[in-house]
């Protein structure tokens, strides 16, 4: 029954993807099969195991339409975690066909379209999910991200406000709202006239995102960027240090710290960071920037 579904839901969110695992009720009173267990498991199984388990459950055809919708949703999210967006969308389509009032495949399909940069199509799915459940904080958060990607920063902030109001401990919504404030700082003329107000709002949201999710390395990096814009360089370096500690191989974090060291005259430290960047995975424009910086510091070669 739909009323029992929320009790068995396990929901995990990341910066860009959603992983939803919903327990199948099983076609009979017997214990769930291994395929059902893998399809429903929120932890302890790989995406490949989840794909295999859900595919077997779907092929058996023994579930109710509602449970088949759950299996298609779980498999769709496994595809989504692998960035196999077309297969994910196909599974979410089938889940929605089987159970049109089931919110989770709408969230998943919207996120898949968002990852394909089809933001208007994503917003349609999030609108529908919110229509089915106006207290769906996840859909408000995802829609906020889609509006931000379209450059509609005030509209995005409204959605993040809604998500936070519904779920005050929702770290991803604070992170998204902070990004929107940073976007306004860069692109919004009114914010340009009062930039510090949005810097402070972004800092406050990053503080909260980090408090709720201390392992969010991107939040440390982004907060460091805000401190850089406020010329609080030592605070910025502290945040870059933590981002690098959490992810030593992310070139952007190392590059940003190198820039902070350069601005503060710590050229040896800047050179060390820039040289480190060149050992990591970077695209060609960033590589050229770093090579130019090293030349300007007399440390090329």
């Amino acid at each position: 029954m739909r009323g029992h579904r929320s009790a068995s839901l396990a929901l995990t969110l990341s910066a860009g993807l959603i992983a939803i695992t919903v327990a199948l009720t099983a076609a009979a009173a017997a214990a769930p099969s291994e395929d059902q267990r893998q399809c429903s498991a929120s932890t302890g199984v790989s995406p490949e195991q989840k794909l295999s388990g859900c595919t077997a459950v779907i092929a058996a055809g023994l579930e109710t339409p509602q449970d088949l919708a759950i299996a298609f949703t779980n498999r769709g999210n496994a595809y989504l975690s692998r960035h196999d967006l077309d297969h994910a969308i196909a599974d979410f389509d089938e889940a929605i066909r089987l159970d049109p009032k089931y919110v989770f495949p709408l969230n998943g399909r919207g996120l898949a379209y968002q990852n394909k940069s089809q933001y208007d199509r994503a917003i349609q799915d999030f609108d529908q999910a919110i229509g089915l459940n106006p207290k769906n904080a996840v859909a408000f958060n995802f829609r906020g991200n889609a509006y931000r990607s379209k450059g509609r920063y005030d509209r995005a902030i409204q959605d993040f406000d809604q998500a936070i109001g519904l779920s005050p401990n929702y770290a991803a919504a604070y992170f998204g709202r902070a990004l929107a404030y940073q976007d306004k700082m860069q692109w919004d003329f009114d914010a340009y006239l009062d930039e510090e107000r949005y810097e402070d709002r972004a800092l406050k949201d990053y503080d909260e995102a980090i408090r709720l999710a201390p392992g969010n390395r991107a939040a440390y990096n982004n907060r460091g960027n805000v401190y850089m814009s406020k010329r609080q360089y030592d605070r910025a370096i502290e945040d870059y240090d933590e981002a690098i500690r959490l992810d030593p191989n992310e070139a952007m974090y190392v590059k940003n710290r190198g820039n902070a060291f350069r601005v503060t005259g710590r050229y040896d430290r800047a050179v060390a960071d820039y040289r480190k960047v060149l050992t990591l995975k970077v695209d060609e424009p960033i590589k050229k920037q770093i090579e130019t910086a090293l030349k300007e510091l007399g440390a090329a070669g």
Side-chain angles (χ1 to χ4, degrees):
M1 293 178 61
R2 185 187 302 277
H4 297 297
R5 207 175 258 164
S6 61
S8 59
L9 174 69
L11 182 63
T12 303
L13 300 177
S14 66
L17 296 177
I18 180 174
I20 303 173
T21 299
V22 185
L24 298 166
T25 59
S33 69
E34 180 63 13
D35 290 329
Q36 288 171 323
R37 186 194 69 77
Q38 289 188 341
C39 184
S40 299
S42 58
T43 59
V45 298
S46 67
E48 291 72 22
Q49 288 173 312
K50 185 171 290 292
L51 285 172
S52 176
C54 290
T55 298
V57 168
I58 291 165
L62 300 177
E63 311 297 331
T64 66
Q66 288 76 21
D67 276 345
L68 276 175
I70 292 172
F72 274 108
T73 298
N74 290 347
R75 191 174 72 173
N77 280 290
Y79 281 128
L80 193 57
S81 72
R82 291 156 54 104
H83 208 70
D84 188 346
L85 302 178
D86 290 333
H87 279 107
I89 288 169
D91 273 356
F92 294 134
D93 285 345
E94 186 61 14
I96 294 164
R97 185 191 70 79
L98 287 162
D99 193 351
K101 294 185 178 181
Y102 187 19
V103 168
F104 296 106
L106 286 165
N107 281 342
R109 189 174 70 180
L111 193 55
Y113 280 123
Q114 187 170 327
N115 276 270
K116 287 169 73 74
S117 300
Q118 296 182 25
Y119 303 119
D120 289 332
R121 186 65 185 80
I123 288 168
Q124 290 177 19
D125 277 343
F126 301 139
D127 286 345
Q128 191 173 345
I130 291 167
L132 289 171
N133 179 6
K135 295 184 178 181
N136 186 348
V138 172
F140 278 111
N141 178 61
F142 287 162
R143 193 174 70 178
N145 286 323
Y147 276 125
R148 188 181 70 81
S149 296
K150 282 172 60 68
R152 297 184 60 184
Y153 307 127
D154 289 329
R155 188 67 182 80
I157 289 167
Q158 290 175 14
D159 273 350
F160 294 129
D161 288 345
Q162 285 279 79
I164 291 166
L166 290 165
S167 183
N169 292 323
Y170 195 176
Y174 288 102
F175 181 83
R177 192 170 66 179
L179 285 172
Y181 285 138
Q182 281 188 285
D183 288 332
K184 280 181 68 70
M185 287 159 47
Q186 185 172 5
W187 302 109
D188 188 285
F189 182 73
D190 290 336
Y192 176 76
L193 296 176
D194 191 10
E195 183 176 308
E196 187 171 347
R197 175 168 58 134
Y198 291 99
E199 288 176 339
D200 290 343
R201 288 182 178 181
L203 285 175
K204 184 176 179 181
D205 276 349
Y206 282 131
D207 288 346
E208 193 65 10
I210 289 167
R211 183 185 72 81
L212 293 166
N216 187 342
R217 54 195 181 274
Y220 284 104
N221 175 72
N222 293 1
R223 191 173 69 177
N225 292 340
V226 180
Y227 280 128
M228 282 289 287
S229 71
K230 291 172 70 68
R231 297 180 175 81
Q232 296 183 28
Y233 301 120
D234 288 339
R235 291 291 302 275
I237 289 168
E238 288 177 9
D239 274 348
Y240 296 141
D241 284 345
E242 184 62 15
I244 293 165
R245 186 189 70 80
L246 291 166
D247 189 354
N249 295 318
E250 175 50 60
M252 187 61 65
Y253 305 161
V254 182
K255 178 181 81 73
N256 288 343
R257 190 177 66 180
N259 291 340
F261 282 135
R262 185 179 183 182
V263 167
T264 55
R266 286 172 270 188
Y267 301 124
D268 289 345
R269 298 289 302 275
V271 167
D273 273 351
Y274 290 151
R275 285 177 172 163
K276 174 67 175 178
V277 171
L278 294 179
T279 70
L280 301 172
K281 184 178 180 180
V282 292
D283 58 26
E284 195 61 28
I286 296 296
K287 181 180 178 182
K288 289 185 180 300
Q289 288 178 20
I290 296 302
E291 289 172 344
T292 299
L294 286 170
K295 287 179 182 178
E296 290 172 350
L297 291 170

